[in-house]
Amino acid sequence: WRNGMEKLQDPSSEPSPPDLDGYWYMSSLVLALVALFCQLICGWTVLCGMFLAFSFGGCNVLMHLKYYSGSYEQNLMTLLPSFTVVVVALFMVLTAPVHGLGYRSVGLQSRFGAVSMMLSSALLGIAASQASLYVCGVSPKSFSGERARLVASGP
């Protein structure tokens, strides 16, 4: 939305993700499954929130902002699903009983400590994803600012 008008979306103007190998997607899936296991089977709410903050609040944020092909503003707009998962995880951690198993599993006694652990997990996720993307040789896609032609020109 800009100036009260709906912005028309051209599929060619959407930022494209970097060329990643299957290990990135597999590790993201494993982190999400481990987080679900921690919450649903073991009842470790804060640990689940930490895994989700690491994956969605750290790794995905860095990848979307730095490695996608669009401008910073366009790349920021692709973060809504990751942001939603982090907010849901934060509310899940904040509404869990402080004296329950979800907090005791990581030795915490306060909500401030839980939020601090989630924030540190997100920062660790940024560092870990930057290191792994560097080791894998992934480079940021260039932003040309031009739209792709829909019809090819020439003979």
Side-chain angles (χ1 to χ4, degrees):
W1 294 82
R2 260 189 204 165
N3 300 330
M5 303 283 292
E6 185 174 342
K7 183 178 175 184
L8 295 175
Q9 292 294 330
D10 181 12
S12 64
S13 68
E14 293 293 318
S16 61
D19 298 326
L20 300 170
D21 57 1
Y23 294 116
W24 176 269
Y25 298 110
M26 186 59 74
S27 62
S28 295
L29 177 64
V30 166
L31 279 171
L33 291 175
V34 167
L36 283 173
F37 178 81
C38 287
Q39 176 62 34
L40 298 175
I41 306 301
C42 302
W44 300 334
T45 307
V46 176
L47 195 58
C48 172
M50 288 170 59
F51 278 118
L52 291 174
F54 180 92
S55 180
F56 290 94
C59 298
N60 280 357
V61 167
L62 177 86
M63 188 189 57
H64 280 256
L65 291 181
K66 187 173 181 183
Y67 290 94
Y68 269 50
S69 67
S71 67
Y72 183 75
E73 181 184 58
Q74 289 173 328
N75 292 348
L76 191 63
M77 297 304 288
T78 64
L79 278 175
L80 185 61
S82 296
F83 178 71
T84 303
V85 171
V86 171
V87 168
V88 167
L90 180 65
F91 285 140
M92 177 183 67
V93 167
L94 290 176
T95 57
V98 176
H99 300 293
L101 181 63
Y103 278 71
R104 286 183 302 164
S105 63
V106 288
L108 295 174
Q109 301 297 325
S110 69
R111 296 188 198 292
F112 177 74
V115 172
S116 299
M117 293 293 280
M118 284 185 68
L119 180 61
S120 63
S121 293
L123 294 175
L124 186 63
I126 290 172
S129 64
Q130 177 61 46
S132 66
L133 290 172
Y134 176 77
V135 167
C136 291
V138 177
S139 60
K141 285 212 167 181
S142 61
F143 173 63
S144 64
E146 297 178 6
R147 294 183 181 201
R149 291 184 173 210
L150 295 177
V151 179
S153 62

